[in-house]
Each structure stands twice: as structure tokens, then as C-alpha cells.
Amino acid sequence: MKVPRKPQENPGETPDHEKYKFIVDENKWLYDVYFKLKDIMEKAVQPLEEYLKVYDPYKDILKVNPDQYIRDLEQQQEQPKTEEDIKKEINEFKKKEEDLKAGIPDDMHISCFWVNCRELTSILAGKYSHMQKNLKGYIAKRARERTQKLQEIFKEMEKKILTQPENIEELTNLKEYLQQ
């Protein structure tokens, strides 16, 4: 029994001349079937490539490292973001996460392929939630630092107020300090 093999190059058409009629490659049909199948598969993959464009808006979030983003935010000394700006950013990430979960189905049928989108959706949603968590932590850290600074200032004020003035000059200075 002989196994058909795809010819390495196109065997060409059947020669018209009678003496070459028997030299034609008997596996030409396999060569033709291979290229028809290849053409069909290339056409079947094309809708997948078009579907990939659905994820173009999410390329930015995939490139972001949430931890590095917060480190960069902490190092902004010139114009640090206000808490309101950060809250707006958190709400934007939350809305994008909800839109993502609502907009992309878990499974879909595209051409002759069945595409499972759960893993990618969970990765993207995880990035959004990680960003929200880190930004909330950043707000909490800033609030903690400010509270500690205020506490130190109040301790100094208390220390100054509770010291007994020894002369009239110190009493006058204390009175002026209290009026400030």
C-alpha cells in the first residue's frame, strides 16, 4: 500500500504531449487539497484578528505595573495629586472594570473557533482592582503621614502650653503663641 505525499513543489498541469502523459505526479490532488485547506484556514483566522481589535483599549492597562505606578505617584514632589483626583481615578478604574466584565462574554464562537475569554477578562479585571487597591492604600498612607505630623505639632503645642512661665516675658510669649 502506498501512502500519498504532498509534493514539495507544484507538479503542474497534465502535459498535452502524449509521450509525457504518464509522467504526471499522481499526488497532485493532495497538493491541490493542501492549498485549498490552507486558504480556508487563513480565511477562518481573519475574524479572530478582527476580534483582537476589541482588546485594543485594554493594552494600556496591560502595560501598567500597579506597584510601579504607585511608586511613581509617591515620587511626584512637584505637583502631587490631590485626594480628589485619586478618588476620581479609582472611580474610573472601577467603572472600566465593570464595563469590562459586562462587555466581554466568557465564551464566544468566532468563525470555526470557540474562544474562552474568561482568563483574559479575569487578568484585566485583576489589574483594575489591583490599581484601585493600591490607590486606596496610597490615600491611606498619605492620610496616616499627615495625621502623624499633626499629632507631633499638637504634642509640641501641648508641651509649650503646659510649661510654667518663670517670668513675665515667658508669660507674654505664651499668650502671643496662644493667640496665633
Side-chain angles (χ1 to χ4, degrees):
M1 190 161 158
K2 196 172 181 185
V3 177
R5 287 183 38 199
K6 181 182 93 57
Q8 294 297 320
E9 51 189 52
N10 190 352
E13 298 298 320
T14 307
D16 291 333
H17 200 280
E18 202 59 39
K19 69 179 185 179
Y20 297 114
K21 195 170 193 174
F22 299 105
I23 300 176
V24 175
D25 191 349
E26 61 191 33
N27 292 327
K28 180 176 179 353
W29 68 272
L30 189 58
Y31 188 84
D32 294 339
V33 168
Y34 169 79
F35 280 103
K36 284 181 185 175
L37 185 60
K38 183 179 175 185
D39 187 46
I40 290 170
M41 290 307 293
E42 286 173 353
K43 288 179 182 176
V45 170
Q46 192 173 19
L48 284 175
E49 291 172 356
E50 291 174 15
Y51 175 69
L52 279 176
K53 293 177 185 171
V54 170
Y55 292 99
D56 282 347
Y58 305 111
K59 284 183 180 179
D60 293 337
I61 193 68
L62 285 173
K63 293 177 184 175
V64 171
N65 179 347
D67 298 326
Q68 183 63 40
Y69 183 80
I70 295 301
R71 282 192 292 272
D72 293 344
L73 202 59
E74 288 173 345
Q75 292 175 356
Q76 281 184 345
Q77 298 296 334
E78 300 154 7
Q79 291 182 340
K81 288 187 175 183
T82 64
E83 281 76 15
E84 290 301 317
D85 292 339
I86 296 172
K87 285 179 186 177
K88 286 178 186 175
E89 198 170 353
I90 290 171
N91 289 333
E92 287 175 19
F93 284 131
K94 188 174 184 176
K95 184 178 181 330
K96 287 179 180 180
E97 181 182 2
E98 291 169 356
D99 292 346
L100 170 76
K101 288 179 180 177
I104 299 177
D106 288 343
D107 299 312
M108 48 183 348
H109 184 225
I110 301 172
S111 182
C112 63
F113 302 98
W114 189 257
V115 180
N116 181 346
C117 305
R118 282 183 220 130
E119 187 175 343
L120 183 58
T121 304
S122 68
I123 289 170
L124 289 169
K127 281 266 192 168
Y128 283 126
S129 66
H130 196 97
M131 289 293 290
Q132 293 172 52
K133 179 182 149 204
N134 284 359
L135 287 170
K136 288 175 185 176
Y138 177 65
I139 289 175
K141 181 180 176 184
R142 282 176 58 175
R144 191 177 325 110
E145 289 171 355
R146 288 182 183 162
T147 304
Q148 288 173 348
K149 286 180 185 176
L150 284 174
Q151 188 176 15
E152 290 172 10
I153 291 170
F154 280 122
K155 281 184 181 180
E156 286 180 25
M157 288 173 65
E158 181 183 28
K159 185 179 178 183
K160 229 178 201 180
I161 292 171
L162 293 178
T163 56
Q164 289 289 332
E166 294 179 9
N167 56 33
I168 196 79
E169 190 176 304
E170 288 180 6
L171 183 62
T172 309
N173 288 341
L174 183 61
K175 187 177 181 181
E176 288 176 3
Y177 181 74
L178 290 174
Q179 288 177 351
Q180 288 177 358

